Amino acid sequence: MPRAFLIDTDVASDDAVAIIIALRAPEVRVVAITTVAGNVEVQQATRNALYTVELCGAKVPVHCGADKPLLRAHQNATWFHGNDGLGDHNYPPPRESPGKLHAVDAMIEAIETNPGLVLVTLGPLTNVALALSKRPAIAAKVGRCVVMGGAPCCEGNVTPAAEYNIWVDPEAARMVLLSGLPVELVGWHVSRGEAVLNESDIAHIRQFNNERARFAIECNSRAREAYMEQTGEDGISLPDPIAMSIALDPSVCTEWSSHHVEVETHSELTRGMTLVDRLHVAGDDRNHPVWSHIVSKGHNANVCWAIDTKRWKDALFSALR
């Protein structure tokens, strides 16, 4: 039986490639895609999701969700991905329309009818937090929850302290981490360095000479420029596809460990910071007043620290051929 996947996403350039990877995996059945405001407005994310599904020749319902974070104003990332999220290449409108259910209700329905499914989140966690608030019991029905988000070991990509997906809606991220969902945290850090698509990788993908491969490179054109501006590294960084490749094959991550993880929601300086208790000191008496609410629940996330870059890139190449 194919594994059931549910993808929650703010579809921009790297999200689109992640969707392609999932839809091209023969052992996976994507039961639904839910969209959320993040990189772009939620209506644009929905359009981008529908376009990507059609590009793959797939039939997967796409449901439009939260148009803003739980408590904060929405701050997009169009400077990084382009105004349309796909590098502003004027892709045609999709032929299909979004599903009638709100993403939150579609998420609850998908989880309840597919117990044990893999939930993959590629954007802010607003929809997931709302679904958990409405139906807390779904947390126990999810087999794995792979979250692309956080900067557990180093600097963030939107502030020195935080990665974008967590920063946009830190309250939602905190709710998800404390919900009992089996979270696997795949941070921005694993998409840097050798994991970035270099010129040789890009040329290799272009040689596939099909519409999926061309789109994967083209829609990331603005993201490549922005990544260079941001980090000084040249190439295409693909955090969401890496998270998807780990959802498909956990061995892509070469170093996992289980920890207490908290999200900063009060300080503007460190808003959205993912605080990982890597040294397991949260249970010390001196930390009890702050960490007791988390420690009492046990470790709340498995954190990915490093990946097998060859295995990741081979998975990408396979999906785009």
Side-chain angles (χ1 to χ4, degrees), residues 13-36:
S13 47
D14 64 321
D15 307 68
V17 178
I19 290 171
I20 292 172
I21 291 173
L23 294 179
R24 294 278 293 165
E27 75 279 14
V28 162
R29 175 174 60 94
V30 179
V31 298
I33 296 171
T34 52
T35 60
V36 65

Side-chain angles (χ1 to χ4, degrees), residues 130-160:
L130 290 169
L132 288 164
S133 294
K134 189 170 185 177
R135 199 72 57 84
I138 61 173
K141 298 181 180 180
V142 173
R144 297 170 62 204
C145 178
V146 180
V147 173
M148 190 284 117
C153 69
C154 47
E155 67 276 8
N157 64 351
V158 65
T159 73

